[in-house]
Amino acid sequence: MALSGKLIGYVEISKTGDVFHDLFRHKPHEIVAITPEKVHDCELHEGERGDVGSVITWHYTHEGKKKFSKQIIEAVNEENHMIVFKVIGGDLVDELYKTFTIILHVEQKGDKPVATWTFEFERPNESVPYPTSLMDYLSNLVKDLDAHGKH
């Protein structure tokens, strides 16, 4: 029996939602330039960069290991600064989870913009851990991007 799960992480940021949305959707090469020790490449396989239905592969180092995540952009909401990545290949779904979806959303919380990561996943059994380490990794990535000069 598969076990569905959801994990949500929040990071207060100083930049606007437009900046983060644009980085992850249209300018992943800038993420690579800002954090080369974390993110090594973002290849476009199908479609136009940032369009719904486009297929990309992120190459990154997590927990000291080089990994990759092949994803299809399932949904984009410009107004709400949201992008939905469904993982279709790579370490997460080939080795650990039956399904894995990553949602990045930036919204105002009071007077501060907040980047919200949401993971929706299905574990094949209870021995597969919640992806808390990956949440920490992506939250730290957002902090690094936020701390980097003006975009």
Side-chain angles (χ1 to χ4, degrees), residues 102-132:
I102 301 169
I103 303 163
L104 174 62
H105 176 217
V106 180
E107 62 187 336
Q108 283 295 123
K109 295 249 187 205
D111 60 348
K112 283 260 189 212
V114 174
T116 303
W117 289 106
T118 304
F119 297 163
E120 295 173 351
F121 53 92
E122 206 175 322
R123 300 182 298 159
N125 56 58
E126 289 188 14
S127 69
V128 175
Y130 266 67
T132 52

Side-chain angles (χ1 to χ4, degrees), residues 30-111:
E30 288 187 18
I31 296 172
V32 173
I34 295 167
T35 61
E37 72 289 349
K38 288 185 175 149
V39 181
H40 314 296
D41 194 13
C42 182
E43 297 174 87
L44 175 67
H45 298 286
E46 293 176 29
E48 295 293 320
R49 186 164 302 284
D51 285 358
V52 171
S54 61
V55 177
I56 57 175
T57 298
W58 293 94
H59 295 271
Y60 61 101
T61 296
H62 175 236
E63 297 178 326
K65 295 181 188 144
K66 289 198 173 192
K67 300 181 179 184
F68 76 95
S69 180
K70 189 171 186 179
Q71 304 169 351
I72 186 166
I73 295 178
E74 273 198 332
V76 171
N77 186 318
E78 290 284 342
E79 193 176 314
N80 294 329
H81 311 297
M82 185 196 68
I83 187 166
V84 179
F85 301 97
K86 180 174 181 55
V87 181
I88 57 173
D91 307 87
L92 287 172
V93 294
D94 294 344
E95 298 173 16
L96 292 169
Y97 303 94
K98 290 180 119 183
T99 63
F100 206 96
T101 300
I102 301 169
I103 303 163
L104 174 62
H105 176 217
V106 180
E107 62 187 336
Q108 283 295 123
K109 295 249 187 205
D111 60 348

